[in-house]
Amino acid sequence: MASRREIKEMLLLSLENRFITEEEFCYLYEVYGQTKNPIFPHGEYDRFSLDRLDEAEVYAEFRVRKRDIERLAHALGLPQSFICHQRTKADRIEALCMVLKRYAYPCRYSDMIHRFGRAVPEISMIVTAVETFIYQNHRNKITEWNADLLSPEKLQEYADAVSAKGSPLRNCFGFIDGTVRPISRPGENQKVVYNGHKRVHALKFQCVTLPNGLIAHLFGPVGRFV
């Protein structure tokens, strides 16, 4: 089966050689030539290289210091490369930077093309692969009680820091916050994840944030009835 690009080229050639009229061209192009996903010229951009970026660019785009990206990849235990199911490959630094760029809100996959020189589907698959790896290997650090972050000594340290800021409570060690993350409308059970307040299909997350800015515990995702 011909691709959309090939169909467009055949339609243009047919019109140029007067095999079809302009009216026929407009109709056929509307039916066969259009796509909901715009074509971005990712081939016009160079592939990602962290060495080509200066310190200010790295921190502005990824919210991490340049010298700390390799340390973060090592701390997360990322493999040397990620290979997606259709053989797209990215080394761990590029893949980690994609995730960091994606989380530097607001950022769409199309906003990342000029930085990584890859098509939107490639970027999406690589980001998903890294997110899956991190979740599978490190989710216990925020979904379960973390003895390192929440030891009795640390809890007292957090409570003292909160109290020192003028809080009347001497035993408050964290702050509860929640967020609603929109998702695509599911094919089934749409009502379960429809948020009437935000008027979108979404999942809810709740977390406990410590005075040092770290997330101590994460609860979610859940739908509207939980």
Side-chain angles (χ1 to χ4, degrees):
M1 182 178 178
S3 65
R4 289 186 182 275
R5 179 171 296 185
E6 292 172 336
I7 291 174
K8 290 179 181 180
E9 292 175 353
M10 287 189 290
L11 289 174
L12 290 170
L13 287 173
S14 298
L15 178 64
E16 182 179 352
N17 291 283
R18 301 184 182 278
F19 295 146
I20 58 177
T21 65
E22 290 186 3
E23 291 78 10
E24 291 172 329
F25 171 81
C26 292
Y27 173 77
L28 292 171
Y29 186 87
E30 183 177 357
V31 174
Y32 298 107
Q34 291 185 337
T35 175
K36 294 182 180 179
N37 299 319
I39 298 176
F40 296 100
H42 64 275
E44 298 179 3
Y45 300 102
D46 294 330
R47 285 295 181 90
F48 175 79
S49 173
L50 186 62
D51 294 334
R52 290 201 301 264
L53 303 181
D54 60 36
E55 191 69 44
E57 286 181 300
V58 172
Y59 189 74
E61 294 196 28
F62 307 133
R63 300 295 189 268
V64 175
R65 300 294 181 188
K66 187 174 183 178
R67 63 180 181 272
D68 293 331
I69 290 182
E70 181 64 46
R71 294 173 61 190
L72 179 58
H74 178 73
L76 291 172
L78 300 183
Q80 291 300 316
S81 61
F82 288 87
I83 303 177
C84 302
H85 62 86
Q86 47 52 282
R87 311 308 296 172
T88 290
K89 184 177 181 180
D91 67 73
R92 69 176 188 168
I93 297 301
E94 180 186 17
L96 176 59
C97 287
M98 285 185 183
V99 174
L100 296 174
K101 174 71 173 177
R102 174 66 170 165
Y103 286 172
Y105 181 84
C107 179
R108 298 169 295 181
Y109 287 124
S110 58
D111 299 329
M112 301 165 62
I113 291 174
H114 78 283
R115 175 55 66 205
F116 297 97
R118 292 179 181 267
V120 167
E122 282 188 90
I123 297 174
S124 175
M125 286 186 288
I126 294 169
V127 169
T128 299
V130 180
E131 290 174 334
T132 301
F133 178 90
I134 294 174
Y135 177 78
Q136 290 177 343
N137 291 275
H138 302 287
R139 65 180 183 273
N140 63 299
K141 291 181 173 63
I142 56 175
T143 58
E144 300 174 8
W145 188 267
N146 189 325
D148 294 328
L149 281 178
L150 302 174
S151 64
E153 295 78 12
K154 285 292 185 180
L155 291 176
Q156 187 61 57
E157 181 181 335
Y158 303 147
D160 292 342
V162 174
S163 178
K165 287 293 185 179
S167 171
L169 299 176
R170 296 184 178 275
N171 59 351
C172 175
F173 69 86
F175 306 89
I176 298 175
D177 193 13
T179 183
V180 176
R181 306 301 298 173
I183 62 172
S184 299
R185 183 177 62 185
E188 300 179 358
N189 301 320
Q190 297 178 14
K191 189 176 181 180
V192 175
V193 293
Y194 183 74
N195 188 289
H197 175 63
K198 299 291 186 178
R199 297 186 180 278
V200 293
H201 292 86
L203 296 175
K204 294 181 178 180
F205 295 84
Q206 187 181 76
C207 69
V208 177
T209 305
L210 301 175
N212 58 11
L214 297 179
I215 294 177
H217 186 266
L218 178 70
F219 174 70
V222 295
R224 63 186 288 258
F225 294 119
V226 180

